[in-house]
Amino acid sequence: MTAHPVTLHVCLACRAAGDDDTLRAGARLHAALAARLDGQGDVRLSGVECLSVCKRPVTVAFAAPNKWTYIAADAVDPDEVIDAAERYAASEDGRVPWRERPPLLKSGLVARIPPQPETRR
Ligand code: FES
């Protein structure tokens, strides 16, 4: 794993078909991830209000210092999200080789954002 922890942002507001306001799909995914990540120091979970990809619930983002930020949608499987986070953490600059990506980082990929210029290598 990397020297810097990865931040895994999860939209808490994402709503799947049939969800009411009590426990939305995003909040359910966040809770499942929190249970699985308990005690794993390399992935920090962050619940956020909205990542502006609302029509493709659930939206997540992977971010770390000096790395590209990846935004992915249609996240439903917490194990796949953790797999993606671990592959992202293991990459040098956030770019996971295509053949190593889980579907979340292929068909689910919405955008990637370069590292901030002052932190770029
Ligand atoms: S409600 Fe989840 S991205 Fe907007």
Side-chain angles (χ1 to χ4, degrees), residues 58-115:
V58 173
T59 304
V60 299
F62 306 92
N66 301 314
K67 289 191 173 190
W68 289 71
T69 294
Y70 276 75
I71 300 171
D74 309 323
V76 293
D77 179 352
D79 293 326
E80 182 185 17
V81 175
I82 290 172
D83 179 40
E86 290 174 343
R87 291 176 189 274
Y88 177 86
S91 70
E92 185 169 333
D93 64 0
R95 293 182 289 182
V96 177
W98 183 262
R99 66 186 175 283
E100 297 176 17
R101 294 184 189 183
L104 179 63
L105 294 178
K106 289 181 176 175
S107 58
L109 188 61
V110 172
R112 66 177 188 166
I113 301 163

Side-chain angles (χ1 to χ4, degrees), residues 12-16 19-29 58:
L12 301 173
C14 271
R15 182 196 306 251
D19 280 357
D20 59 25
D21 283 334
T22 58
L23 191 57
R24 296 180 176 197
R28 291 195 303 272
L29 179 63
V58 173

Side-chain angles (χ1 to χ4, degrees), residues 11-15 24 49-55 57-59:
C11 174
L12 301 173
C14 271
R15 182 196 306 251
R24 296 180 176 197
E49 279 306 309
C50 180
L51 291 165
S52 292
V53 192
C54 316
K55 293 186 176 179
V58 173
T59 304

